[in-house]
Amino acid sequence: MRTLLTLSITLLFSSLVWSGYLEYNQDVLIPDDWTHVGRVDPSEELELTFALKQQHVDLLEETLRLVSDPDSAQYGKHLTLEEVSSLLRPSELTQKVVRQWLQSHGITNCLTVHTQDFLQCTMTAEVAETLLPGSKFHRYTRDSQSVVRSSAPYSVHDAVHQHLDFVGGLHRFPPKVQQETKASSNRKQKQSKAGVHLGVTPAILRARYNLTATDVGKAHNNSQAVAQFLEQYFSPADLAEFMTLFGRSFPHRSQVDRVVGTQGAGKAGVEASLDIEYIMSTGANISTWLFTNPGRHESQEPFLQWMVLLNNMTDLPWVHTISYGDDEDSLSTAYMMRINTEFMKAGVRGISLLFASGDSGAGCRHFGKGQNTFRPSFPASSPYVTTVGGTSFKNPFKVTYEVSDYISGGGFSNVFKMPDYQVSAVNAYLKTVAATLPPQSYYNTSGRAYPDMAALSHNYWVVVNRIPTPWISGTSASTPVVGGMLSLINDQRLLKGLPALGFLNPRLYKLKGQALFDVTEGCHLGCLDEQVQGEGFCAAPSWDPVTGWGTPNYPALLAVLLAE
């Protein structure tokens, strides 16, 4: 009897001590496109990222609201990295408890960041599995990529549970590149006639969005960036050739000014080429950075590495465009909430973060027995970023008005509530098109709705590996185009002594569609079932969850965003 009692007490104590699952709802299933190689050797070194609990997150959110609202006296009064750090820095107790916990397992090789809310530590797989009970590290490969991840959920000791948001490097596989390419070999290339074009180029974008040859960067203190996480690289020779072919009609730069991270060897990727070529031809003559982070170690999460990096850099480009996303339901709430805080940090510093809305329309999640729902994407669904959807020309060979691109990602978050800045716009949409909306069981009408705006996303020309390539499509095309235009607007603001735009959404929604081309035709993809028959949401007058407020009319947008 005593043995049984002792055993039960031990089990009870164990369950209490190791009950700390920080990411209890993180999907730990291995994606189908990854192949299991085997268990990691116990002596192999891993690098894990510990996200320490921050202080005053509610005050950060309020500060972001004030510096981003044009009706606030605080508008544009952005914080420095030092000020953000002072506001959010984890408490002395949190820092002490986490460090003592790590040191008690012999972990001393750790780096922190300026804001002191991330620790990146190196340890063996054996130590990591002891530190984080439940974790089991394996190696997986996809194509030429290799990552180390845990096949099971991890927990942390109760003593540190309240001091951590999550531990990075155990879950979350790099997603596949989203943008789609369409072969052009079966299409007869016609001679270009007046008013007819054979795909989107910088000249076509400038014609549609009313940019002139003089709409280029002039301010010395302006810069823009694209961020890459999918082991994609751009080629400087491709960029130079692209500008030779397509940039003759306006002043431009043909070189990236700064590469942060390591540019890998091998062939250039379509995604990386598209991003850099179109942000630099739209935001022409503006200093451009590339953040490229395949992850220095197989256990790192490249997107998280980029977020950590921003916390260590006092001077950053004002606009960042990112073509990256994951299904909301594949990520833990704890992870997404903390990443949201990182987005808020960027916003209060005056940085504009633009994310592609995705290329799966409303998405679809299957629950079996014919039960489906739409499937929102993150970070597109974050309330603290500007999300860009996609359009196509009504006539694909003419510069006409735009309609929805059927791939344009959009919908309603299942995690984040609808932010105040968009409530009236979204409710007006839901009321106006109530009769034709999909069944409410497919989406969350009280969630953050996206995208916020859009641009052409169909049939781009890109130079890849020195070859001009047509029929490149996706919101990873529209996002750098919008980013380039916002950089041009920042340029004019900086020349006038005004602050950078920063987090755009509160101001964008107050414009109520002013200075944008409203997109009112077309629907995007949804679930292929009897109820919605492959259709998600449809475009409508004013804001809609396919194209947001519409596409930029550059001179009009410049005028309203230059107003103090």
Side-chain angles (χ1 to χ4, degrees):
M1 182 71 187
R2 180 178 291 170
T3 311
L4 184 62
L5 183 63
T6 307
L7 178 63
S8 64
I9 289 170
T10 307
L11 285 172
L12 176 64
F13 180 71
S14 299
S15 67
L16 284 172
V17 171
W18 303 122
S19 63
Y21 287 95
L22 293 170
E23 301 188 72
Y24 64 92
N25 59 349
Q26 171 66 45
D27 183 1
V28 295
L29 294 174
I30 309 306
D32 293 340
D33 52 344
W34 289 89
T35 303
H36 180 241
V37 176
R39 279 282 262 158
V40 169
D41 188 277
S43 63
E44 187 168 330
E45 285 211 326
L46 307 179
E47 186 174 291
L48 301 181
T49 302
F50 299 85
L52 280 69
K53 277 263 191 254
Q54 299 150 316
Q55 300 187 91
H56 314 307
V57 174
D58 53 343
L59 190 54
L60 174 73
E61 185 170 21
E62 177 61 12
T63 305
L64 177 64
R65 187 186 68 77
L66 292 172
V67 300
S68 309
D69 179 356
D71 296 332
S72 158
Q74 295 298 110
Y75 180 71
K77 294 180 179 175
H78 301 125
L79 306 189
T80 63
L81 178 60
E82 187 56 54
E83 288 169 331
V84 172
S85 185
S86 298
L87 178 65
L88 286 182
R89 189 178 289 125
S91 68
E92 294 292 334
L93 178 63
T94 289
Q95 294 184 59
K96 184 180 176 183
V97 168
V98 173
R99 284 188 181 275
Q100 285 182 345
W101 170 60
L102 293 168
Q103 287 164 5
S104 72
H105 287 81
I107 300 165
T108 54
N109 186 7
C110 295
L111 296 172
T112 188
V113 291
H114 195 82
T115 46
Q116 296 183 322
D117 47 6
F118 285 106
L119 277 175
Q120 296 194 296
C121 303
T122 305
M123 68 206 76
T124 64
E126 183 176 26
V127 169
E129 290 182 3
T130 307
L131 180 78
L132 304 167
S135 61
K136 293 180 175 62
F137 288 93
H138 297 255
R139 179 166 281 104
Y140 302 90
T141 58
R142 178 181 67 192
D143 304 327
S144 60
Q145 233 177 331
S146 175
V147 299
V148 170
R149 293 290 186 269
S150 173
S151 61
Y154 70 92
S155 59
V156 297
H157 197 287
D158 261 11
V160 294
H161 187 272
Q162 65 186 355
H163 298 288
L164 290 171
D165 284 324
F166 69 89
V167 182
L170 289 98
H171 304 308
R172 292 175 286 277
F173 285 72
K176 260 201 178 305
V177 175
Q178 289 185 352
Q179 121 284 315
E180 55 169 63
T181 61
K182 297 179 182 178
S184 60
S185 55
N186 63 342
R187 300 173 187 268
K188 288 188 178 177
Q189 297 270 325
K190 292 181 261 182
Q191 287 299 310
S192 190
K193 299 174 191 167
V196 173
H197 67 84
L198 299 172
V200 174
T201 64
I204 297 296
L205 290 167
R206 285 179 169 262
R208 170 57 186 154
Y209 298 132
N210 295 320
L211 289 113
T212 69
T214 59
D215 289 316
V216 297
K218 300 174 184 73
H220 66 87
N221 55 341
N222 192 19
S223 56
Q224 59 189 0
V226 296
Q228 289 289 341
F229 315 109
L230 303 175
E231 295 204 2
Q232 284 249 335
Y233 314 111
F234 92 100
S235 155
D238 286 349
L239 174 60
E241 183 169 334
F242 178 85
M243 289 302 187
T244 301
L245 287 171
F246 300 117
R248 290 177 184 171
S249 62
F250 52 89
H252 60 266
R253 299 185 182 208
S254 296
Q255 288 183 317
V256 169
D257 282 334
R258 184 169 175 187
V259 175
V260 183
T262 310
Q263 266 271 93
K267 288 186 174 182
V270 173
E271 176 84 50
S273 304
L274 174 70
D275 285 0
I276 208 76
E277 288 167 10
Y278 278 92
I279 197 169
M280 289 187 69
S281 55
T282 310
N285 215 38
I286 293 173
S287 176
T288 304
W289 297 20
L290 172 71
F291 286 83
T292 176
N293 193 345
R296 293 189 309 278
H297 192 281
E298 291 170 294
S299 61
Q300 289 181 336
E301 299 177 42
F303 177 70
L304 178 60
Q305 288 300 112
W306 172 70
M307 294 259 64
V308 170
L309 191 59
L310 298 189
N311 285 285
N312 248 2
M313 301 182 75
T314 50
D315 295 309
L316 284 168
W318 295 114
V319 172
H320 295 244
T321 77
I322 305 103
S323 305
Y324 170 90
D326 255 326
D327 296 326
E328 252 187 12
D329 57 80
S330 74
L331 303 168
S332 72
T333 305
Y335 170 82
M336 289 187 282
M337 296 302 276
R338 174 57 185 265
I339 294 298
N340 264 351
T341 304
E342 300 308 305
F343 294 154
M344 284 192 269
K345 275 185 190 169
V348 297
R349 292 174 67 188
I351 296 164
S352 303
L353 298 179
L354 277 65
F355 278 85
S357 70
D359 295 347
S360 305
C364 189
R365 190 179 185 192
H366 307 284
F367 289 97
K369 294 183 181 177
Q371 284 187 307
N372 299 320
T373 62
F374 294 151
R375 193 170 208 172
S377 172
F378 181 83
S381 65
S382 167
Y384 307 109
V385 303
T386 299
T387 304
V388 182
T391 62
S392 57
F393 283 122
K394 176 68 172 176
N395 179 337
F397 300 106
K398 286 195 172 185
V399 180
T400 58
Y401 71 91
E402 293 162 76
V403 297
S404 304
D405 191 343
Y406 70 96
I407 61 163
S408 180
F412 296 79
S413 173
N414 289 320
V415 178
F416 310 113
K417 71 180 180 66
M418 193 181 296
D420 291 344
Y421 62 73
Q422 69 168 187
V423 168
S424 63
V426 178
N427 285 344
Y429 168 81
L430 293 172
K431 188 176 178 182
T432 304
V433 299
T436 55
L437 283 170
Q440 283 204 9
S441 59
Y442 279 74
Y443 58 99
N444 170 27
T445 53
S446 61
R448 179 331 194 205
Y450 69 98
D452 302 302
M453 57 194 303
L456 286 160
S457 57
H458 183 67
N459 186 14
Y460 276 62
W461 280 89
V462 179
V463 174
V464 191
N465 299 304
R466 306 301 293 274
I467 301 167
T469 309
W471 300 104
I472 307 299
S473 300
T475 52
S476 49
S478 53
T479 308
V481 167
V482 172
M485 282 189 258
L486 292 183
S487 288
L488 290 176
I489 294 169
N490 268 342
D491 207 83
Q492 292 296 311
R493 287 181 62 85
L494 294 168
L495 288 171
K496 282 185 71 174
L498 297 171
L501 289 166
F503 177 46
L504 183 65
N505 290 12
R507 188 160 189 177
L508 177 67
Y509 280 78
K510 283 193 173 180
L511 293 177
K512 298 183 177 178
Q514 183 188 355
L516 293 115
F517 294 117
D518 196 4
V519 180
T520 59
E521 285 183 33
C523 307
H524 65 182
L525 298 164
C527 295
L528 197 57
D529 59 25
E530 282 187 23
Q531 279 197 283
V532 297
Q533 299 179 13
E535 199 169 271
F537 299 98
C538 295
S542 293
W543 183 91
D544 60 68
V546 188
T547 61
W549 283 107
T551 63
N553 179 4
Y554 176 75
L557 193 60
L558 173 65
V560 294
L561 293 180
L562 262 186
E564 293 182 44

